[in-house]
């Protein structure tokens, strides 16, 4: 049985959360075990002290053994005892090794001195000893334990956010693909009918009907091109390494027939450069058309659109589309490729987001606002791989 993507996401989150809970439980049990052993040693020492105090005649040797046992029962606190000249007399819990070299022991002593924790011990014969110590491993772990928990919870939140964001994006892509394919399917039937009516008109001996049929042919071809575009969304389009200028020229020629004479187009190619790129002609034409339509709208049909094709230093093909329209604010430029964002009263906010999808997801290139200024114009840059 094949699991759905949402089910896989939930399973991954459950596994990740389970790992965090397991770590917290294991780490907590280790701390509790260590503290229990320490408490048992303290209670045992307290019981021995109570027994000695209750004895009528305390044996001096027994007292010495008791005191020695207290010293030896320190299994966790790092300590170094020195004489008045800071010569090491003995140490405990400093290293996993039973014996340390002079240099290593001196280094450990310097670190304990840096902690600033020292107890001066006055011996009965007037001599003085120093006891240097620091936090036990248990205290150190407890000190960092809250930060570890916060970090793990933070990682879980970040992981969940990334997973759900990708799942949401995947679902949005499914909607895109479904709508695109359904649109292509729905267009297929009327296009077929139009082709039939056109053929009937062409067989007529009436010249006017033949002219109408000829005009219908160009519009039907346009509809077929649109249906072909939608059918490629969601599939793996075929990529070819070929010139991109013919695609640009085709889009410009199509738009010239549908916009007023006040809109001028200029295509320039870097001298000595043949602009090849790995692309799908149908989809690239669609992306460029969307950008050009935005430029025409920004100029209110009165201005000039310049299309410059050139290489960049990394051997990519660059297409700069510039207009002298109303331009955008920085805030608008940041949102221009978001689905549903538009500054037009009747816009859907789909064209530029679709352009970004075509360039970046299908062609693995880049599309972004290179320059924009309110009242001056905008330049959109497309970068394609060769």
């Amino acid at each position: 049985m094949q699991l759905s993507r949402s089910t896989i996401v939930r399973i991954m989150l459950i596994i990740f959360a389970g790992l965090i809970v397991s770590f917290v439980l294991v780490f907590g049990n280790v701390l509790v075990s260590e503290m229990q052993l320490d408490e048992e040693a303290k209670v045992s020492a307290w019981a021995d002290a109570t027994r000695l105090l209750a004895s009528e005649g305390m044996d001096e040797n027994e007292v010495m053994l008791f005191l020695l046992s207290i010293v030896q029962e320190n299994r966790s606190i790092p300590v170094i005892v020195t004489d008045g000249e800071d010569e090491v007399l003995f140490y405990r819990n400093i290293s996993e090794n039973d014996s340390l070299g002079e240099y290593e022991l001196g280094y450990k002593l310097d670190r304990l001195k840096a902690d600033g924790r020292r107890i001066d011990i006055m011996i009965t014969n007037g001599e003085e000893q120093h006891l240097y110590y620091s936090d036990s491993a248990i205290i150190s772990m407890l000190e960092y334990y809250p930060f570890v928990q916060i970090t793990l919870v933070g990682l879980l939140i970040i992981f969940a956010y990334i997973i759900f964001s990708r799942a949401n994006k995947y679902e949005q892509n499914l909607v895109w693909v479904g709508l695109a394919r359904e649109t292509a399917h729905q267009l297929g039937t009327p296009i077929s009918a139009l082709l039939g009516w056109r053929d009937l008109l062409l067989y007529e001996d009436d010249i006017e009907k033949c002219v109408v049929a000829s005009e219908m042919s160009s519009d039907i071809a346009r509809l077929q091109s649109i249906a072909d575009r939608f059918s490629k969304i969601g599939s793996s389009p075929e990529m070819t390494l070929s010139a991109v200028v013919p695609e640009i020229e085709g889009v410009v020629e199509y738009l010239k027939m549908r916009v007023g004479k006040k809109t001028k187009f200029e295509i320039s190619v870097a001298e000595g450069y043949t602009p090849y790129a790995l692309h799908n002609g149908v989809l690239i034409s669609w992306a460029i058309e969307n950008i050009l339509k935005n430029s025409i709208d920004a100029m209110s049909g009165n201005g000039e659109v310049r299309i410059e094709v050139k290489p960049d230093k990394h051997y990519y093909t660059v297409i700069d589309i510039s207009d002298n329209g109303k331009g955008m604010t920085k805030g608008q430029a940041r949102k221009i490729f978001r689905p549903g964002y538009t500054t037009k009263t009747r816009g859907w906010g789909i064209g530029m987001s679709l352009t970004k999808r075509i360039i970046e997801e299908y062609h693995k290139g880049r599309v972004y606002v290179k320059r924009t200024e309110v009242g001056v114009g905008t330049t959109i840059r497309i970068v394609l791989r060769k």
Side-chain angles (χ1 to χ4, degrees), residues 25-236:
L25 290 176
V26 171
F27 193 70
N29 285 332
V30 170
L31 290 177
V32 170
S33 299
E34 290 292 330
M35 294 179 73
Q36 283 177 338
L37 291 174
D38 194 52
E39 291 294 321
E40 287 174 4
K42 290 178 180 178
V43 171
S44 178
W46 182 82
D48 288 340
T50 302
R51 181 178 58 80
L52 287 174
L53 288 173
S55 301
E56 294 182 357
M58 289 188 294
D59 185 6
E60 184 177 344
N61 290 331
E62 192 173 3
V63 172
M64 290 297 296
L65 288 173
F66 170 67
L67 296 175
L68 183 61
S69 69
I70 292 177
V71 173
Q72 292 176 339
E73 280 298 324
N74 175 24
R75 301 180 305 103
S76 58
I77 302 175
V79 296
I80 295 179
V81 178
T82 68
D83 58 18
E85 302 297 327
D86 275 344
E87 292 292 331
V88 177
L89 300 177
F90 67 90
Y91 56 88
R92 286 188 67 82
N93 307 313
I94 295 298
S95 173
E96 295 180 357
N97 300 326
D98 293 334
S99 59
L100 295 175
E102 183 178 351
Y103 174 79
E104 189 175 0
L105 188 58
Y107 173 74
K108 298 285 187 181
L109 178 60
D110 289 337
R111 291 192 61 180
L112 290 181
K113 285 182 178 181
D115 286 344
R117 300 181 184 182
R118 187 180 85 173
I119 298 176
D120 296 328
I121 305 172
M122 298 304 298
I123 310 301
T124 53
N125 59 7
E127 294 181 3
E128 183 181 15
Q129 293 181 354
H130 305 304
L131 186 149
Y132 298 96
Y133 69 99
S134 66
D135 289 333
S136 65
I138 299 175
I139 297 297
S140 298
M141 285 191 288
L142 285 173
E143 183 179 359
Y144 291 106
Y145 189 54
F147 298 102
V148 173
Q149 285 185 311
I150 292 171
T151 301
L152 290 175
V153 171
L155 288 174
L156 178 61
I157 293 172
I158 293 171
F159 183 72
Y161 174 77
I162 293 172
I163 291 296
F164 279 115
S165 295
R166 290 188 176 181
N168 185 46
K169 186 176 181 181
Y170 176 75
E171 291 176 358
Q172 288 178 349
N173 287 340
L174 288 180
V175 174
W176 270 97
V177 172
L179 287 173
R181 289 182 175 176
E182 181 62 19
T183 302
H185 176 71
Q186 294 295 334
L187 284 171
T189 302
I191 288 173
S192 299
L194 287 171
L195 286 170
W197 287 112
R198 183 205 61 180
D199 291 341
L200 284 174
L201 290 173
L202 286 173
Y203 285 119
E204 295 285 340
D205 291 333
D206 192 329
I207 296 177
E208 289 185 2
K209 290 181 179 180
C210 289
V211 172
V212 171
S214 177
E215 290 298 323
M216 282 181 65
S217 295
S218 61
D219 289 329
I220 291 171
R222 175 64 181 169
L223 285 173
Q224 288 175 322
S225 174
I226 292 172
D228 188 30
R229 290 174 177 180
F230 278 110
S231 67
K232 285 180 167 56
I233 297 296
S235 60
S236 297

Side-chain angles (χ1 to χ4, degrees), residues 263 292-306 321-329 371-379:
T263 301
L292 289 176
K293 284 181 176 179
N294 264 31
S295 295
I296 294 167
D297 290 338
M299 299 184 302
S300 299
N302 184 7
E304 182 181 9
V305 180
R306 296 185 69 257
I321 301 175
S322 305
D323 64 67
N324 56 356
K326 60 186 179 181
M328 297 180 288
T329 64
R371 177 196 62 83
T372 186
E373 186 177 347
V374 176
V376 177
T378 300
T379 298

